[in-house]
Amino acid sequence: MSADATPARIIEAAGPIFAAKGFEAATVREICHEAGVNLAAVNYHFGSKEGLYVATVRQAHPNRLEQRFVPDQPAGATPSQRLRGFVWAMISRLLELKAAEWQWRLLFREITDPTPICRELLQEHFRAGFGALLAIIDDVVDPELPLHRRHQIALSIVGQCVYYRSATNIIPMIVGEDELAAHYKAEMLTDHITGFSLAALGLGPPVGSAPGSNHRETCPERRSDP
Amino acid sequence: MSADATPARIIEAAGPIFAAKGFEAATVREICHEAGVNLAAVNYHFGSKEGLYVATVRQAHPNRLEQRFVPDQPAGATPSQRLRGFVWAMISRLLELKAAEWQWRLLFREITDPTPICRELLQEHFRAGFGALLAIIDDVVDPELPLHRRHQIALSIVGQCVYYRSATNIIPMIVGEDELAAHYKAEMLTDHITGFSLAALGLGPPVGSAPGSNHRETCPERRSDP
DNA sequence: AATTGTATCAAACGATTGTTTGCCTCCAGG
DNA sequence: CCTGGAGGCAAACAATCGTTTGATACAATT
């Protein structure tokens, strides 16, 4: 039986548990019970609990997460459409995190509460996703805009998306459960964030006007930074 | 000796430890050793470790955190100036979180990894800060804009600010240490986020054009230091 | 003076943790 | 048939955790 070999079964059981509880709170006993293996199997095959964690994260990384941030786009898509595609891929994945595969949750936990082991893995992954967003931005901003300004624009867009996940616990306290259920689905948030960001970039109408009313085009110039 | 009474000394010692390690990882032994009191003092005065945690959060809340989000503004401040003041208060406090008082770090930890106990405390606190931002937004958007749209605008602004804290670990991996040190100080980020948000609201020039090409100072808004 | 209640202390308790220990079975190579 | 190593097993180990205990000191009250 090499298909359900013990080390693979342990990793399969450890993934969701590590993802749900974190490294410290997860117990070897629960993992082994879930995997249906003996308690001593973890230390036999992986040396220690830490060794199991490294093996689990290492397997979670490349298999499923490589280009999830970069959805397939039609060839002739406009920058606005590509930006919306990026935001939607990010938002939908973040909001469905609870139901998502454990690989994603484990990676997300590594972001907010990092284990020193996995720096290179994360660096490679997030640089790829961030680069895809930068490529979109580069097409719509002044080519002479400094790199750090373009980075900040990208971070503003990513920040809006991520906030709906990292603040899952306080957003209902602020807007209420009813409004949350009615107006905070993935597609609506994508509309808002895309519209907000396109307006900031001068590619769309400003937010803040009620639907149906006409808005004047003001302030076409830029401001000089200090 | 009511000045250095044992319960007060325990809370003083427990605050930084809870803030640094969280409820689970913090140990009663370390707290008591730091406070210079006996191990049994926690359960004697607070009933349990949980009781101590509640008392600690309860004391952290009202004393120092009530209106930190709402800096004092001059009476005739424009909405742009008030928005910049709000962003600056939030950004500067988030970025200096490591050096900040333990009360702030403890509250921030409750946001990302909440303990079910403190819901009401947090709700009251964040509703106050969020209300201050909403009051600014209400002055510049169409009065008929639905409430949830105004909420989303406020969340977009808050999200940009918070992201620089919650992604502390991956931002240097993306932009590099040099750029981080050069262009991501509190004031520069305040400039960027304020400019980005004002542009999205139609109150300022769009971001994305290089500085120094052609200046046209027709927009009246200008920043003000807090 | 005797009593009561509060506060502190060292010590131990019970539970849970990651890890280690012998002993068992199995099976391919001699 | 014998043998030796790999893998699996129940059990125990050592450390740490929050909590409890019983004794003691001290102040206020009766």
Side-chain angles (χ1 to χ4, degrees), chain B residues 144-160:
Chain B
E144 294 181 12
L145 193 69
L147 181 62
H148 73 270
R149 295 284 298 131
R150 280 176 279 174
H151 283 166
Q152 289 170 349
I153 292 171
L155 289 174
S156 277
I157 296 172
V158 173
Q160 293 178 70

Side-chain angles (χ1 to χ4, degrees), chain A residues 51-126:
Chain A
L52 170 61
Y53 186 74
V54 175
T56 307
V57 175
R58 185 152 307 192
Q59 162 154 331
H61 166 60
N63 295 348
R64 299 187 162 266
L65 295 164
E66 257 183 5
Q67 286 176 327
R68 277 297 172 81
F69 277 131
V70 194
D72 291 335
Q73 299 277 1
T78 67
S80 299
Q81 290 170 328
R82 290 160 60 203
L83 179 63
R84 190 180 197 283
F86 182 92
V87 170
W88 196 88
M90 196 157 187
I91 278 283
S92 60
R93 207 140 282 273
L94 286 171
L95 288 190
E96 291 154 9
L97 207 56
K98 275 173 188 163
E101 54 265 66
W102 60 265
Q103 287 90 343
W104 231 101
R105 282 175 291 164
L106 190 60
L107 267 283
F108 192 79
R109 183 176 282 274
E110 274 290 325
I111 301 172
T112 58
D113 189 20
T115 307
I117 314 163
C118 318
R119 289 196 65 84
E120 301 83 17
L121 266 61
L122 285 185
Q123 184 158 343
E124 178 187 353
H125 177 250
F126 285 102

Side-chain angles (χ1 to χ4, degrees), chain B residues 9-93:
Chain B
R9 286 232 312 275
I10 293 176
I11 289 183
E12 265 181 59
I17 294 176
F18 277 139
K21 304 186 171 183
F23 175 77
E24 302 279 353
T27 70
V28 177
R29 281 174 171 81
E30 181 184 2
I31 291 171
C32 289
H33 181 268
E34 191 70 21
V37 303
N38 187 265
L39 174 62
V42 163
N43 283 313
Y44 180 79
H45 289 283
F46 300 98
S48 67
K49 183 188 180 185
E50 270 199 21
L52 169 61
Y53 187 74
V54 175
T56 307
V57 175
R58 185 152 307 192
Q59 162 154 329
H61 166 60
N63 295 347
R64 300 185 161 266
L65 295 163
E66 255 184 9
Q67 285 176 328
R68 276 296 171 81
F69 277 129
V70 195
D72 291 335
Q73 299 275 2
T78 68
S80 299
Q81 290 170 329
R82 289 159 62 203
L83 179 63
R84 191 180 198 278
F86 182 92
V87 171
W88 197 89
M90 196 158 186
I91 277 284
S92 60
R93 207 140 283 273

Side-chain angles (χ1 to χ4, degrees), chain A residues 111-112 114 119 122-123 126-127 130 141-142 144-149 151-153 155-160 162-164 166 169-171 173-175 179 183-184 189 192-193 196-197 199-202 206-211 213 218-226, chain B residues 111-112 114 119 122-123 126-127 130 141-142 144-149 151-153 155-160 162-164 169-171 173-175 179 183-184 189 191-192 195-197 199-202 205-211 213-219 222-223:
Chain A
I111 301 172
T112 58
R119 289 196 65 84
L122 285 185
Q123 184 158 343
F126 285 102
R127 272 217 268 248
F130 198 76
V141 300
D142 191 319
E144 294 181 11
L145 192 70
L147 182 61
H148 74 270
R149 295 283 297 132
H151 282 167
Q152 288 169 349
I153 292 171
L155 289 174
S156 277
I157 296 171
V158 174
Q160 292 177 71
V162 172
Y163 188 58
Y164 284 99
S166 64
N169 308 296
I170 49 176
I171 287 181
M173 305 186 341
I174 293 174
V175 307
E179 182 181 318
H183 298 105
Y184 289 80
L189 293 179
H192 164 69
I193 295 174
F196 191 91
S197 303
L201 288 165
V207 299
S209 37
S213 70
T218 57
C219 287
E221 83 287 356
R222 62 193 63 105
R223 143 189 104 141
S224 65
D225 283 339
Chain B
I111 301 172
T112 58
R119 290 196 65 86
L122 283 185
Q123 185 158 342
F126 284 102
R127 271 217 268 249
F130 197 77
V141 300
D142 191 318
E144 294 181 12
L145 193 69
L147 181 62
H148 73 270
R149 295 284 298 131
H151 283 166
Q152 289 170 349
I153 292 171
L155 289 174
S156 277
I157 296 172
V158 173
Q160 293 178 70
V162 172
Y163 188 59
Y164 285 99
N169 308 296
I170 49 175
I171 287 182
M173 305 186 340
I174 292 173
V175 306
E179 183 181 318
H183 298 105
Y184 290 81
L189 294 179
D191 284 340
H192 165 70
F196 191 92
S197 302
L201 288 165
V207 298
S209 31
S213 353
N214 58 345
H215 300 267
R216 281 186 286 160
E217 290 288 338
T218 55
C219 278
R222 198 55 197 138
R223 350 186 292 271

